[in-house]
Amino acid sequence: MKIAIAQINPTVGDLTGNAQLILEAAQWAINEDASLLLTPELALIGYPPRDLLIRPSFINAAQQQLEKLAQQLPVELAVLVGTVSPNHTASQLGGKPLFNTAALLMGGEIKQMFHKRLLPTYDVFDEHRYFEPAPTSDFFTLKKPRSEEIVKIGVSICEDLWNDEKFWAQRNYSCDPMKDLSDRHVDWVVNLSGSPYRAGKQKLRKAMLNHSARRYGIPIIYNNQVGANDDLIFDGCSLVINGSGNVVKSLAAFQTDLQIIEWDFKTSTFVGDSANIEDTQLLDSDDEIWQALVLGVKDYTRKCGFSKVVIGLSGGIDSSLVAAIATEALGSQQVLGVLMPSPYSSEHSLEDALDLANNLGISTQTLPIESVMNAFDSTLYNLFAGTQFGIAEENMQSRIRGTLLMAISNKFGHLLLSTGNKSEIAVGYCTLYGDMNGGLAVIADVPKTRVYSICKWLNESRGREIIPNNVLIKPASAELKPGQFDSDSLPPYHILDDILYRLIERHESVPTIIEAGHDCQTVERIVKLVMGAEFKRRQAPPGLKISDRAFGTGWRMPIARGKDI
């Protein structure tokens, strides 16, 4: 029996478009003589749908689209479709109004429904807000083509496989669907998934699935969504693992993929050569993050209805990396770089920005801002009289640039890409309504040290200079006043980033961070800066998530709070 795995890229809320993706995959599956087609979690409505799920009209439309899809699919093909379905007992027994569902479509109708049992509520997940957990796990059966032999296929959805206490050393939920399916003696388990990307997650996911397959002696087909929706990136990397824990099929990372795997009824295993399988998923960490960010920019731009982007080019490393990512994602003709020199801009910064644009093949515009600065100074002269030049005047330059970039965005319909990195956003070393302007913050979850690492990797991997060498070696500077460097305000980035990693991702206390070898006053100052910049982050554009803890959907810190936190 042949099983088709459709690692597709749905768009949230695009019921018609997502159904078409499934129909196209179904036609391919029929051409490959497949008996069953698998789609990812919530493939019909897109993941994560968030508060679209509280709109009755959307749920009704999804149900109608599912019924229509069942009639349109080839009658000889069984298709497992990720969708939502109403919880009809909610009004009588209480509970949430919806289930996160895998619907089995076959013979022109909806044959069976399977509901997600484990509903995550950590980080970016908030599924208890919408869904009722299913009480039990279930399976369906398929006949072998031209035979009476059957196979029992257990169904699970994403988090249902993330609760093995022997792998995690604890249980996060009261039940383990994988164990329950094993007790029901299924031949193999499918998992429809919408598992967001973070750096290193591919290795963890593979190890977890390997452990579960070996523990229960049950093969697993894990089908993950690919693509990006808002701040979340989905890496795909679907897997087929035999009961021995060996990978017999691995789908591509960060791109759509359609693959066939064959179930052997005689050996009760999936056909594949685990010893010689090419691992297309495990990448160098910089390569992995680069591909994730490229996919994030490409999908965010396309799914939000933009075709071109605009970027402020300062000659610094952050804007250089964002421009390189945008060019890779969209093509050089779709990227506009804008240089906005002030009297404090160095000559080499302009040269570096132009060298970068030349290396990437993108067009540029130069808009000097000195005359605009003079107009602001004149307007504020009486009010600011008798005060020293300071942060207000420095930020004015950034806000002038932000206004010009937004004007270009509004005039020509370009998406403005913000260029701030995680280190700066964490401590507030950025200007609200200035360099924070934009529709997407591309590297908002990338620490400064990683920015340098990715830029060096990019040059090495391409075998030529993409990011100008001078950008890589010169001291970082906002160039908002004479002789200004980032090191005037912040500790060296390798120190800052380690403190931020411990504080933000590992949730370490101030004493613990100090015990790790960091200076007491530095740690206390950085923590104070992080806490004080929350109001800025609340107004920032969405940023692509590539770490365990990003300043986005999963970050829910209060702005007004006591000093003892």
Side-chain angles (χ1 to χ4, degrees), residues 156-463:
S156 63
I157 301 175
C158 202
E159 189 82 357
D160 288 348
L161 289 191
W162 292 72
N163 196 36
D164 189 317
E165 77 277 4
K166 289 193 174 181
F167 182 82
W168 299 106
Q170 66 177 27
R171 269 200 180 186
N172 295 315
Y173 306 88
S174 60
C175 66
D176 183 354
M178 185 66 182
K179 180 181 183 305
D180 291 350
L181 288 169
S182 173
D183 291 343
R184 302 194 72 172
H185 306 292
V186 300
D187 292 299
W188 43 279
V189 170
V190 301
N191 183 261
L192 309 190
S193 188
S195 180
Y197 167 80
R198 63 169 172 78
K201 191 174 184 180
Q202 295 164 1
K203 293 179 182 178
L204 173 66
R205 192 190 291 137
K206 182 178 290 187
M208 180 196 68
L209 294 169
N210 174 282
H211 172 89
S212 292
R214 282 189 292 107
R215 179 179 178 184
Y216 296 104
I218 298 176
I220 298 171
I221 298 182
Y222 170 84
N223 186 19
N224 191 29
Q225 174 177 306
V226 73
N229 287 311
D230 293 353
D231 55 332
L232 300 185
I233 302 165
F234 299 85
D235 54 304
C237 292
S238 302
L239 293 168
V240 181
I241 298 181
N242 266 336
S244 59
N246 294 319
V247 176
V248 294
K249 179 75 69 174
S250 100
L251 277 66
F254 304 109
Q255 55 185 291
T256 57
D257 200 1
L258 302 172
Q259 293 288 337
I260 293 288
I261 188 71
E262 191 166 353
W263 176 255
D264 189 328
F265 280 83
K266 291 182 180 179
T267 60
S268 294
T269 188
F270 288 113
V271 176
D273 187 352
S274 59
N276 297 320
I277 187 171
E278 180 183 359
D279 195 332
T280 59
Q281 300 178 357
L282 299 182
L283 308 167
D284 173 87
S285 56
D286 290 324
D287 186 359
E288 180 183 295
I289 294 171
W290 166 265
Q291 290 197 40
L293 294 174
V294 167
L295 177 58
V297 170
K298 182 177 182 179
D299 270 8
Y300 189 91
T301 304
R302 175 177 62 87
K303 293 179 180 181
C304 290
F306 293 93
S307 59
K308 295 187 177 183
V309 298
V310 57
I311 304 167
L313 295 184
S314 66
I317 195 162
D318 297 322
S319 62
S320 296
L321 177 57
V322 171
I325 292 168
T327 302
E328 181 82 1
L330 307 172
S332 59
Q333 298 301 312
Q334 310 305 112
V335 180
L336 172 64
V338 182
L339 289 68
M340 295 165 287
S342 80
Y344 306 119
S345 300
S346 61
E347 190 64 33
H348 65 76
S349 290
L350 294 175
E351 293 173 356
D352 293 341
L354 291 172
D355 286 345
L356 171 79
N358 184 62
N359 293 346
L360 296 174
I362 64 174
S363 59
T364 63
Q365 288 287 335
T366 301
L367 305 175
I369 67 169
E370 183 174 10
S371 62
V372 188
M373 289 170 59
N374 291 338
F376 271 76
D377 290 340
S378 176
T379 300
L380 293 167
Y381 179 79
N382 291 332
L383 183 60
F384 283 13
T387 65
Q388 294 294 317
F389 181 98
I391 293 176
E393 288 82 0
E394 292 179 29
N395 285 343
M396 211 182 305
Q397 298 171 57
S398 181
R399 290 182 175 128
I400 289 168
R401 291 179 172 124
T403 299
L404 293 174
L405 289 169
M406 283 306 303
I408 294 169
S409 173
N410 291 162
K411 190 69 173 178
F412 301 109
H414 296 358
L415 173 66
L416 173 57
L417 300 182
S418 178
T419 61
N421 62 67
K422 188 173 190 176
S423 309
E424 296 171 347
I425 293 170
V427 297
Y429 195 66
C430 48
T431 304
L432 196 59
Y433 321 124
D435 60 333
M436 292 179 69
N437 279 4
L440 178 67
V442 179
I443 57 172
D445 199 29
V446 184
K448 189 78 166 189
T449 49
R450 177 63 76 176
V451 171
Y452 278 100
S453 177
I454 295 173
C455 287
K456 292 175 183 176
W457 163 86
L458 180 62
N459 285 354
E460 292 170 1
S461 67
R462 299 300 187 267

